[in-house]
mmCIF file of all heavy atoms in Angstrom:
data_model
loop_
_atom_site.group_PDB
_atom_site.id
_atom_site.type_symbol
_atom_site.label_atom_id
_atom_site.label_comp_id
_atom_site.label_asym_id
_atom_site.label_seq_id
_atom_site.Cartn_x
_atom_site.Cartn_y
_atom_site.Cartn_z
ATOM 1 N N ALA A 174 67.872 128.886 -64.808
ATOM 2 C CA ALA A 174 68.196 129.373 -63.456
ATOM 3 C C ALA A 174 69.635 129.087 -63.046
ATOM 4 O O ALA A 174 70.108 129.623 -62.026
ATOM 5 C CB ALA A 174 67.267 128.733 -62.433
ATOM 6 N N GLN A 236 71.147 130.326 -78.160
ATOM 7 C CA GLN A 236 70.858 130.680 -79.532
ATOM 8 C C GLN A 236 71.814 129.972 -80.470
ATOM 9 O O GLN A 236 73.035 130.225 -80.466
ATOM 10 C CB GLN A 236 70.956 132.200 -79.682
ATOM 11 C CG GLN A 236 70.347 132.724 -80.976
ATOM 12 C CD GLN A 236 70.205 134.240 -81.004
ATOM 13 O OE1 GLN A 236 70.233 134.900 -79.967
ATOM 14 N NE2 GLN A 236 70.080 134.786 -82.196
ATOM 15 N N ASP A 245 83.136 128.493 -83.395
ATOM 16 C CA ASP A 245 84.029 128.716 -84.551
ATOM 17 C C ASP A 245 85.189 129.650 -84.171
ATOM 18 O O ASP A 245 86.331 129.345 -84.484
ATOM 19 C CB ASP A 245 83.207 129.292 -85.709
ATOM 20 C CG ASP A 245 84.053 129.520 -86.940
ATOM 21 O OD1 ASP A 245 84.701 130.571 -87.016
ATOM 22 O OD2 ASP A 245 84.024 128.643 -87.816
ATOM 23 N N ARG A 246 84.867 130.736 -83.524
ATOM 24 C CA ARG A 246 85.892 131.676 -83.046
ATOM 25 C C ARG A 246 86.890 130.979 -82.127
ATOM 26 O O ARG A 246 88.074 131.380 -82.043
ATOM 27 C CB ARG A 246 85.242 132.864 -82.327
ATOM 28 C CG ARG A 246 84.772 134.013 -83.189
ATOM 29 C CD ARG A 246 85.887 135.003 -83.456
ATOM 30 N NE ARG A 246 86.498 135.450 -82.228
ATOM 31 C CZ ARG A 246 86.010 136.425 -81.452
ATOM 32 N NH1 ARG A 246 84.973 137.118 -81.842
ATOM 33 N NH2 ARG A 246 86.604 136.713 -80.305
ATOM 34 N N TYR A 256 77.355 129.988 -91.892
ATOM 35 C CA TYR A 256 76.594 130.926 -92.742
ATOM 36 C C TYR A 256 75.188 130.408 -93.016
ATOM 37 O O TYR A 256 74.204 131.144 -92.930
ATOM 38 C CB TYR A 256 77.304 131.158 -94.063
ATOM 39 C CG TYR A 256 78.444 132.145 -94.056
ATOM 40 C CD1 TYR A 256 79.000 132.600 -92.877
ATOM 41 C CD2 TYR A 256 78.987 132.595 -95.270
ATOM 42 C CE1 TYR A 256 80.065 133.476 -92.875
ATOM 43 C CE2 TYR A 256 80.049 133.491 -95.286
ATOM 44 C CZ TYR A 256 80.609 133.939 -94.085
ATOM 45 O OH TYR A 256 81.647 134.813 -94.103
ATOM 46 N N ASP A 260 71.648 132.024 -91.990
ATOM 47 C CA ASP A 260 70.626 132.294 -92.973
ATOM 48 C C ASP A 260 69.232 131.721 -92.562
ATOM 49 O O ASP A 260 68.207 132.341 -92.775
ATOM 50 C CB ASP A 260 71.003 131.762 -94.347
ATOM 51 C CG ASP A 260 72.147 132.578 -94.961
ATOM 52 O OD1 ASP A 260 72.352 133.722 -94.550
ATOM 53 O OD2 ASP A 260 72.845 132.039 -95.859
ATOM 54 N N GLU A 263 67.932 134.162 -90.075
ATOM 55 C CA GLU A 263 67.488 135.463 -90.590
ATOM 56 C C GLU A 263 66.306 135.319 -91.531
ATOM 57 O O GLU A 263 65.366 136.115 -91.482
ATOM 58 C CB GLU A 263 68.701 136.117 -91.350
ATOM 59 C CG GLU A 263 68.440 137.579 -91.695
ATOM 60 C CD GLU A 263 68.446 138.502 -90.495
ATOM 61 O OE1 GLU A 263 68.786 138.065 -89.375
ATOM 62 O OE2 GLU A 263 68.090 139.670 -90.669
ATOM 63 N N ILE A 276 64.610 139.210 -72.900
ATOM 64 C CA ILE A 276 64.515 138.895 -71.480
ATOM 65 C C ILE A 276 63.709 140.024 -70.844
ATOM 66 O O ILE A 276 64.196 141.151 -70.696
ATOM 67 C CB ILE A 276 65.901 138.802 -70.842
ATOM 68 C CG1 ILE A 276 66.752 137.766 -71.591
ATOM 69 C CG2 ILE A 276 65.785 138.419 -69.364
ATOM 70 C CD1 ILE A 276 68.190 137.682 -71.149
ATOM 71 N N LYS A 278 60.487 141.178 -67.890
ATOM 72 C CA LYS A 278 60.236 140.987 -66.442
ATOM 73 C C LYS A 278 59.787 139.569 -66.133
ATOM 74 O O LYS A 278 60.277 138.964 -65.181
ATOM 75 C CB LYS A 278 59.145 141.993 -66.036
ATOM 76 C CG LYS A 278 58.918 142.106 -64.550
ATOM 77 C CD LYS A 278 58.018 143.321 -64.329
ATOM 78 C CE LYS A 278 57.478 143.349 -62.934
ATOM 79 N NZ LYS A 278 56.642 144.580 -62.723
ATOM 80 N N TYR A 285 65.337 133.967 -62.171
ATOM 81 C CA TYR A 285 65.846 134.422 -60.886
ATOM 82 C C TYR A 285 65.273 133.566 -59.739
ATOM 83 O O TYR A 285 66.021 133.172 -58.838
ATOM 84 C CB TYR A 285 65.498 135.881 -60.710
ATOM 85 C CG TYR A 285 65.877 136.501 -59.417
ATOM 86 C CD1 TYR A 285 67.209 136.799 -59.099
ATOM 87 C CD2 TYR A 285 64.885 136.877 -58.472
ATOM 88 C CE1 TYR A 285 67.568 137.369 -57.893
ATOM 89 C CE2 TYR A 285 65.213 137.465 -57.290
ATOM 90 C CZ TYR A 285 66.552 137.713 -56.985
ATOM 91 O OH TYR A 285 66.893 138.290 -55.800
ATOM 92 N N ASP A 309 57.609 138.312 -55.200
ATOM 93 C CA ASP A 309 57.823 137.726 -53.864
ATOM 94 C C ASP A 309 57.266 136.334 -53.771
ATOM 95 O O ASP A 309 57.830 135.419 -53.169
ATOM 96 C CB ASP A 309 57.205 138.607 -52.811
ATOM 97 C CG ASP A 309 57.978 139.894 -52.580
ATOM 98 O OD1 ASP A 309 59.193 139.924 -52.823
ATOM 99 O OD2 ASP A 309 57.354 140.936 -52.194
ATOM 100 N N ALA B 174 82.862 141.661 -79.331
ATOM 101 C CA ALA B 174 83.685 140.636 -79.998
ATOM 102 C C ALA B 174 84.502 139.813 -79.009
ATOM 103 O O ALA B 174 85.093 138.806 -79.384
ATOM 104 C CB ALA B 174 84.623 141.269 -81.005
ATOM 105 N N GLN B 236 72.709 143.585 -70.146
ATOM 106 C CA GLN B 236 71.392 144.017 -69.750
ATOM 107 C C GLN B 236 71.354 144.296 -68.240
ATOM 108 O O GLN B 236 71.479 143.373 -67.431
ATOM 109 C CB GLN B 236 70.379 142.941 -70.141
ATOM 110 C CG GLN B 236 68.920 143.413 -70.085
ATOM 111 C CD GLN B 236 67.947 142.414 -70.742
ATOM 112 O OE1 GLN B 236 68.320 141.574 -71.518
ATOM 113 N NE2 GLN B 236 66.684 142.538 -70.377
ATOM 114 N N ASP B 245 72.830 139.535 -57.562
ATOM 115 C CA ASP B 245 72.070 139.284 -56.327
ATOM 116 C C ASP B 245 72.062 137.790 -56.017
ATOM 117 O O ASP B 245 72.284 137.372 -54.876
ATOM 118 C CB ASP B 245 70.631 139.798 -56.563
ATOM 119 C CG ASP B 245 69.761 139.601 -55.336
ATOM 120 O OD1 ASP B 245 69.245 138.473 -55.160
ATOM 121 O OD2 ASP B 245 69.617 140.560 -54.572
ATOM 122 N N ARG B 246 71.826 136.975 -57.036
ATOM 123 C CA ARG B 246 71.852 135.519 -56.816
ATOM 124 C C ARG B 246 73.222 135.039 -56.321
ATOM 125 O O ARG B 246 73.332 134.028 -55.607
ATOM 126 C CB ARG B 246 71.528 134.790 -58.162
ATOM 127 C CG ARG B 246 70.062 134.584 -58.450
ATOM 128 C CD ARG B 246 69.527 133.283 -57.832
ATOM 129 N NE ARG B 246 70.347 132.189 -58.225
ATOM 130 C CZ ARG B 246 70.231 131.491 -59.348
ATOM 131 N NH1 ARG B 246 69.219 131.761 -60.147
ATOM 132 N NH2 ARG B 246 71.053 130.518 -59.658
ATOM 133 N N TYR B 256 64.078 145.106 -57.854
ATOM 134 C CA TYR B 256 62.672 145.191 -58.310
ATOM 135 C C TYR B 256 62.449 146.511 -59.047
ATOM 136 O O TYR B 256 61.790 146.559 -60.100
ATOM 137 C CB TYR B 256 61.694 145.121 -57.161
ATOM 138 C CG TYR B 256 61.396 143.729 -56.651
ATOM 139 C CD1 TYR B 256 62.166 142.624 -57.065
ATOM 140 C CD2 TYR B 256 60.338 143.482 -55.760
ATOM 141 C CE1 TYR B 256 61.869 141.368 -56.573
ATOM 142 C CE2 TYR B 256 60.063 142.237 -55.289
ATOM 143 C CZ TYR B 256 60.819 141.170 -55.687
ATOM 144 O OH TYR B 256 60.498 139.906 -55.214
ATOM 145 N N ASP B 260 61.360 147.169 -62.865
ATOM 146 C CA ASP B 260 60.169 147.940 -63.216
ATOM 147 C C ASP B 260 60.516 149.036 -64.268
ATOM 148 O O ASP B 260 59.710 149.286 -65.147
ATOM 149 C CB ASP B 260 59.572 148.598 -61.964
ATOM 150 C CG ASP B 260 58.896 147.568 -61.076
ATOM 151 O OD1 ASP B 260 58.573 146.467 -61.579
ATOM 152 O OD2 ASP B 260 58.719 147.839 -59.878
ATOM 153 N N GLU B 263 60.569 147.200 -67.518
ATOM 154 C CA GLU B 263 59.291 146.736 -68.034
ATOM 155 C C GLU B 263 58.350 147.877 -68.356
ATOM 156 O O GLU B 263 57.658 147.870 -69.375
ATOM 157 C CB GLU B 263 58.621 145.812 -67.015
ATOM 158 C CG GLU B 263 57.380 145.080 -67.481
ATOM 159 C CD GLU B 263 57.757 143.963 -68.506
ATOM 160 O OE1 GLU B 263 58.964 143.675 -68.674
ATOM 161 O OE2 GLU B 263 56.830 143.421 -69.114
ATOM 162 N N ILE B 276 69.695 139.372 -81.170
ATOM 163 C CA ILE B 276 70.919 139.107 -81.896
ATOM 164 C C ILE B 276 70.515 138.553 -83.248
ATOM 165 O O ILE B 276 70.074 137.408 -83.384
ATOM 166 C CB ILE B 276 71.806 138.102 -81.156
ATOM 167 C CG1 ILE B 276 72.074 138.580 -79.717
ATOM 168 C CG2 ILE B 276 73.136 137.883 -81.912
ATOM 169 C CD1 ILE B 276 72.848 137.623 -78.860
ATOM 170 N N LYS B 278 71.230 138.600 -87.726
ATOM 171 C CA LYS B 278 72.365 138.352 -88.627
ATOM 172 C C LYS B 278 73.383 139.498 -88.613
ATOM 173 O O LYS B 278 74.581 139.312 -88.559
ATOM 174 C CB LYS B 278 71.810 138.157 -90.049
ATOM 175 C CG LYS B 278 72.835 137.656 -91.063
ATOM 176 C CD LYS B 278 72.069 137.274 -92.302
ATOM 177 C CE LYS B 278 72.950 137.065 -93.496
ATOM 178 N NZ LYS B 278 72.161 136.561 -94.650
ATOM 179 N N TYR B 285 81.151 138.658 -84.511
ATOM 180 C CA TYR B 285 81.981 137.541 -84.969
ATOM 181 C C TYR B 285 83.191 138.095 -85.728
ATOM 182 O O TYR B 285 84.320 137.585 -85.535
ATOM 183 C CB TYR B 285 81.135 136.666 -85.915
ATOM 184 C CG TYR B 285 81.826 135.515 -86.554
ATOM 185 C CD1 TYR B 285 82.249 134.422 -85.771
ATOM 186 C CD2 TYR B 285 82.041 135.502 -87.908
ATOM 187 C CE1 TYR B 285 82.886 133.335 -86.400
ATOM 188 C CE2 TYR B 285 82.690 134.438 -88.524
ATOM 189 C CZ TYR B 285 83.094 133.356 -87.758
ATOM 190 O OH TYR B 285 83.731 132.306 -88.355
ATOM 191 N N ASP B 309 81.895 137.660 -95.706
ATOM 192 C CA ASP B 309 83.301 137.434 -96.060
ATOM 193 C C ASP B 309 84.065 138.766 -96.026
ATOM 194 O O ASP B 309 85.228 138.814 -95.583
ATOM 195 C CB ASP B 309 83.408 136.828 -97.467
ATOM 196 C CG ASP B 309 82.971 135.358 -97.456
ATOM 197 O OD1 ASP B 309 83.103 134.709 -96.393
ATOM 198 O OD2 ASP B 309 82.523 134.877 -98.508
#
Side-chain angles (χ1 to χ4, degrees):
Chain A
Q236 195 169 340
D245 181 277
R246 274 273 307 276
Y256 279 12
D260 289 339
E263 191 70 9
I276 305 174
K278 190 169 167 177
Y285 176 72
D309 287 332
Chain B
Q236 194 169 341
D245 181 278
R246 273 273 307 275
Y256 278 12
D260 289 340
E263 190 71 9
I276 305 175
K278 189 169 167 175
Y285 176 71
D309 287 332

